[in-house]
């Protein structure tokens, strides 16, 4: 293939990518609304800025949002039994894809856990109370899987396209624009409630399964944890929140994910752990 044709193909790819960004921006503005060329250009600019953010920039923005969340939530102190338990479970989990991991516990009855592109992992006491150590480790492994697979980074960039927050983002150079408390709060909400595709959830399931297996823990505990999450929705007045609510809100899909993990366990020779 000639150099000229390669160059033309690359231009086509870039054009298609830019067009996709515009489609996303237009879709979020509402299918029935009219958009003039000025608004169309603004949508393209926002999408291009968001998608061109470097990993370092994403991590800095996310880190700022996580710092605000830590300040606004009740964080369990080092002396807390919850913190000691989490630290023990994650003592061998130092980094992912070269990004250092840091763990904290939010003291709340909400049932949630999430991991961010900057390596921050936050686990709520609500889910710690309902899970055994091995089950909780499976949930944490699943959430870290979203970071390892760069789902968290991609979700952040998509959130920028979907919101006015992208007005504050400057991706032309390595500088990171200062965000207001309101903008950080908007970003923080997106981090806590990130929604992933079925394919991304399935890949994170596999990561959590492999993580437990590599850690010498029976990966069937992933099944047990997911069964608890599935059953949670049927309990009156009790449900998961944020990212975990999104991950387990589709019961048929959750059932299929559980079935897939059971099949992997059977293939690998793992059986359901005996109740303690």
């Amino acid at each position: 293939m000639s150099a000229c044709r390669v160059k033309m193909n690359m231009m086509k790819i870039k054009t298609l990518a830019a067009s996709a960004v515009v489609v996303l921006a237009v879709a979020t503005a509402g299918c029935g609304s009219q958009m003039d060329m000025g608004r169309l250009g603004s949508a393209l600019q926002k999408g291009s800025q968001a998608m061109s953010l470097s990993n370092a920039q994403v991590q800095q923005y996310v880190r700022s949002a996580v710092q605000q969340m830590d300040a606004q939530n009740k964080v369990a102190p080092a002396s807390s039994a919850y913190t000691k338990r989490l630290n023990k479970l994650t003592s061998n989990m130092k980094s992912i894809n070269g990004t250092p991991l840091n763990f904290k516990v939010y003291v709340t009855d909400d049932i949630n856990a999430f991991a961010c592109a900057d390596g921050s992992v936050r686990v709520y006491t609500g889910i710690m109370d309902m899970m055994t150590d091995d089950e909780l480790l499976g949930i944490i492994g699943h959430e870290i899987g979203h970071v390892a697979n760069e789902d968290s980074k991609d979700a952040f960039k998509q959130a920028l396209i979907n919101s006015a927050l992208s007005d504050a983002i400057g991706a032309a150079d390595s500088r990171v624009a200062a965000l207001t408390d309101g903008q950080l709060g908007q970003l923080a909400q997106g981090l806590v409630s990130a929604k992933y595709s079925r394919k991304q959830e399935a890949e994170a399931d596999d990561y959590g399964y492999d993580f437990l297996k590599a850690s010498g823990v029976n990966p069937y505990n992933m099944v047990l944890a997911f069964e608890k999450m599935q059953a949670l929705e049927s309990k009156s007045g009790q449900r998961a929140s944020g990212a975990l609510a999104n991950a387990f809100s589709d019961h048929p899909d959750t059932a299929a994910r559980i079935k897939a993990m059971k099949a992997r366990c059977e293939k690998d020779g793992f059986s359901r752990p005996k109740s303690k």
Side-chain angles (χ1 to χ4, degrees):
M1 184 179 292
S2 68
C4 181
R5 180 169 295 182
V6 170
K7 184 175 181 180
M8 290 178 64
N9 287 338
M10 289 302 297
M11 290 177 64
K12 288 181 180 179
I13 291 172
K14 290 181 179 180
T15 301
L16 288 172
S19 299
V21 168
V22 174
V23 170
L24 286 170
V26 173
T28 59
C31 295
S33 63
Q34 293 183 346
M35 179 176 286
D36 58 29
M37 291 305 295
R39 291 178 62 194
L40 189 63
S42 176
L44 176 58
Q45 182 182 20
K46 289 180 181 181
S48 297
Q49 287 177 331
M51 298 310 292
S52 63
L53 286 173
S54 68
N55 288 344
Q57 286 174 307
V58 169
Q59 290 182 0
Q60 288 184 64
Y61 281 120
V62 171
R63 189 175 299 115
S64 295
V66 172
Q67 288 173 350
Q68 187 185 69
M69 281 191 288
D70 288 349
Q72 294 180 345
N73 283 277
K74 183 178 180 181
V75 178
S79 59
S80 166
Y82 288 107
T83 300
K84 291 179 179 178
R85 179 187 175 196
L86 183 61
N87 288 343
K88 182 178 180 181
L89 285 175
T90 61
S91 61
N92 293 325
M93 302 167 68
K94 304 300 183 183
S95 65
I96 187 71
N97 293 350
T99 300
L101 295 171
N102 68 90
F103 299 85
K104 289 185 180 180
V105 176
Y106 285 172
V107 182
T108 170
D109 291 336
D110 292 344
I111 297 170
N112 197 17
F114 62 91
C116 303
D118 72 324
S120 296
V121 183
R122 301 296 180 260
V123 184
Y124 295 24
T125 54
I127 195 170
M128 294 184 75
D129 287 338
M130 69 177 288
M131 299 283 178
T132 66
D133 284 355
D134 291 342
E135 292 165 358
L136 182 61
L137 200 57
I139 291 292
I140 293 172
H142 170 93
E143 292 302 315
I144 291 178
H146 284 305
V147 178
N149 298 332
E150 298 194 343
D151 301 336
S152 299
K153 182 185 71 175
D154 294 342
F156 168 80
K157 290 183 176 182
Q158 186 60 57
L160 289 180
I161 295 174
N162 293 343
S163 73
L165 184 60
S166 55
D167 290 334
I169 303 299
D173 53 41
S174 61
R175 291 174 299 178
V176 173
L179 302 182
T180 66
D181 287 346
Q183 289 169 332
L184 285 173
Q186 183 181 356
L187 175 55
Q189 184 58 41
L191 295 175
V192 173
S193 303
K195 186 174 179 64
Y196 301 110
S197 69
R198 289 185 177 183
K199 180 175 183 292
Q200 289 173 323
E201 293 292 2
E203 289 174 346
D205 291 348
D206 286 337
Y207 187 94
Y209 179 101
D210 291 336
F211 171 75
L212 287 186
K213 186 177 176 181
S215 300
V217 176
N218 184 346
Y220 207 105
N221 282 284
M222 286 281 290
V223 175
L224 302 183
F226 282 22
E227 286 177 346
K228 286 184 177 180
M229 296 301 301
Q230 187 181 46
L232 188 65
E233 291 291 332
S234 63
K235 294 183 178 180
S236 177
Q238 191 177 22
R239 66 185 301 273
S241 62
L244 287 186
N246 292 331
F248 295 98
S249 60
D250 187 335
H251 288 277
D253 184 48
T254 300
R257 289 162 63 191
I258 290 174
K259 182 178 180 180
M261 280 188 288
K262 284 183 176 179
R264 282 199 67 184
C265 287
E266 182 177 354
K267 181 180 178 181
D268 291 343
F270 294 103
S271 58
R272 178 182 289 267
K274 296 180 179 179
S275 301
K276 296 181 179 180

